[in-house]
Amino acid sequence: MIRRRKSSIIVSIPGEQVRIAAREAIGALARSDSSVISCLMFLTEQARFCPKCGSEDLDLKDRKLLDCRSCGLHFYLNSASAVAGYILDGTDRLLLVRRARDPGKGMLSPPGGFLDFGETGEEAVVREIREETGLDVTIAGYLGSFPNLYVYRGITYPTLDLFFLCRVASFDGAVALEEVESVVVVPWQNVKREEIAFESMRRAFDQLKSELS
């Protein structure tokens, strides 16, 4: 059963109650930022009890905050941080990986992944490259940060992706390890932009090309 109360809608489920923002407001936000809304809608539909006090009186106050009216807990939804490294060898060949899993299965990407708690971006990109390719790289520069939408098992997560330029003397010993189908080594001029998995990665590749040209 659904009951309206001013600017809110009360969604009543047997034994449960979830408070969410008005559909009109959700529609407007969805048009402006669909990634945030998909995450918030998932949380609103699935997180039916406050993790602190167990209350069902949860309120979606704005596009990134869940509020418990009983105990005052505020839960903020922020972008997740991820890193990736475009790796060049001594002859300026570029190493990319072909992704073994969705999202972007079969497409190319620079090695990378999400930051662990307490890591810097620099520490994370060195670790991720080692875990995916077995290479120990030196960071040679910073290419920039770009927002991304990471769709995983039906949920779209907003991320902020940090990109680094990395160097190795040689790609000898590079292997496909975690979540990697294969390692691809090509002259950077031969990489087709449309073969790169995500728009954030494509924008970082554009920055790399501008610095190498």
Side-chain angles (χ1 to χ4, degrees), residues 109-141:
S109 70
F114 290 96
L115 274 73
D116 288 339
F117 292 119
E119 274 189 318
T120 65
E122 292 81 359
E123 291 168 342
V125 74
V126 170
R127 173 184 56 77
E128 286 286 348
I129 291 171
R130 184 185 304 115
E131 289 176 355
E132 293 189 5
T133 70
L135 293 175
D136 287 310
V137 301
T138 299
I139 295 175

Side-chain angles (χ1 to χ4, degrees), residues 24 31-32 48 54-55 60 75 84 87 122 126 152 181 184 188 192 196 204 207 210:
E24 292 80 6
R31 289 189 293 274
S32 64
R48 292 167 177 162
S55 171
L60 177 60
F75 182 85
I87 313 167
E122 292 81 359
V126 170
Y152 184 70
E181 177 183 304
V184 178
W188 63 267
K192 296 179 180 179
I196 299 175
Q207 180 62 31
S210 71

Side-chain angles (χ1 to χ4, degrees), residues 131-194:
E131 289 176 355
E132 293 189 5
T133 70
L135 293 175
D136 287 310
V137 301
T138 299
I139 295 175
Y142 178 62
L143 297 172
S145 62
F146 303 95
N148 186 30
L149 303 179
Y150 189 85
V151 182
Y152 184 70
R153 294 191 178 184
I155 305 172
T156 301
Y157 297 91
T159 67
L160 182 64
D161 300 344
L162 313 177
F163 293 91
F164 296 87
L165 170 60
C166 301
R167 291 267 184 187
V168 291
S170 169
F171 290 134
D172 291 345
V175 292
L177 297 174
E178 290 186 4
E179 300 182 357
V180 173
E181 177 183 304
S182 62
V183 171
V184 178
V185 176
V186 293
W188 63 267
Q189 300 93 332
N190 293 354
V191 177
K192 296 179 180 179
R193 192 179 191 273
E194 61 271 20

Side-chain angles (χ1 to χ4, degrees), residues 1-199:
M1 181 180 71
I2 297 177
R3 295 184 289 111
R4 291 186 179 272
R5 181 181 297 172
K6 294 183 179 179
S7 63
S8 302
I9 294 176
I10 303 297
V11 181
S12 296
I13 304 170
E16 301 173 337
Q17 188 175 71
V18 183
R19 187 181 181 90
I20 63 175
R23 294 192 184 279
E24 292 80 6
I26 288 177
L29 286 173
R31 289 189 293 274
S32 64
D33 194 340
S34 60
S35 66
V36 173
I37 288 302
S38 66
C39 290
L40 284 176
M41 289 302 293
F42 173 79
L43 286 175
T44 307
E45 292 168 2
Q46 301 298 324
R48 292 167 177 162
F49 299 92
C50 172
K52 182 178 179 181
C53 71
S55 171
E56 299 177 7
D57 197 4
L58 300 178
D59 183 24
L60 177 60
K61 296 184 70 69
D62 58 32
R63 70 178 194 170
K64 64 177 182 180
L65 172 63
L66 282 173
D67 177 58
C68 177
R69 292 179 177 273
S70 295
C71 69
L73 176 71
H74 296 277
F75 182 85
Y76 285 94
L77 176 67
N78 297 310
S79 294
S81 299
V83 294
Y86 281 100
I87 313 167
L88 297 173
D89 68 0
T91 62
D92 278 353
R93 293 185 304 165
L94 181 65
L95 183 143
L96 298 170
V97 298
R98 195 169 297 280
R99 300 173 64 86
R101 299 180 184 177
D102 282 325
K105 181 179 180 180
M107 300 190 73
L108 297 177
S109 70
F114 290 96
L115 274 73
D116 288 339
F117 292 119
E119 274 189 318
T120 65
E122 292 81 359
E123 291 168 342
V125 74
V126 170
R127 173 184 56 77
E128 286 286 348
I129 291 171
R130 184 185 304 115
E131 289 176 355
E132 293 189 5
T133 70
L135 293 175
D136 287 310
V137 301
T138 299
I139 295 175
Y142 178 62
L143 297 172
S145 62
F146 303 95
N148 186 30
L149 303 179
Y150 189 85
V151 182
Y152 184 70
R153 294 191 178 184
I155 305 172
T156 301
Y157 297 91
T159 67
L160 182 64
D161 300 344
L162 313 177
F163 293 91
F164 296 87
L165 170 60
C166 301
R167 291 267 184 187
V168 291
S170 169
F171 290 134
D172 291 345
V175 292
L177 297 174
E178 290 186 4
E179 300 182 357
V180 173
E181 177 183 304
S182 62
V183 171
V184 178
V185 176
V186 293
W188 63 267
Q189 300 93 332
N190 293 354
V191 177
K192 296 179 180 179
R193 192 179 191 273
E194 61 271 20
E195 294 182 350
I196 299 175
F198 304 117
E199 181 60 25

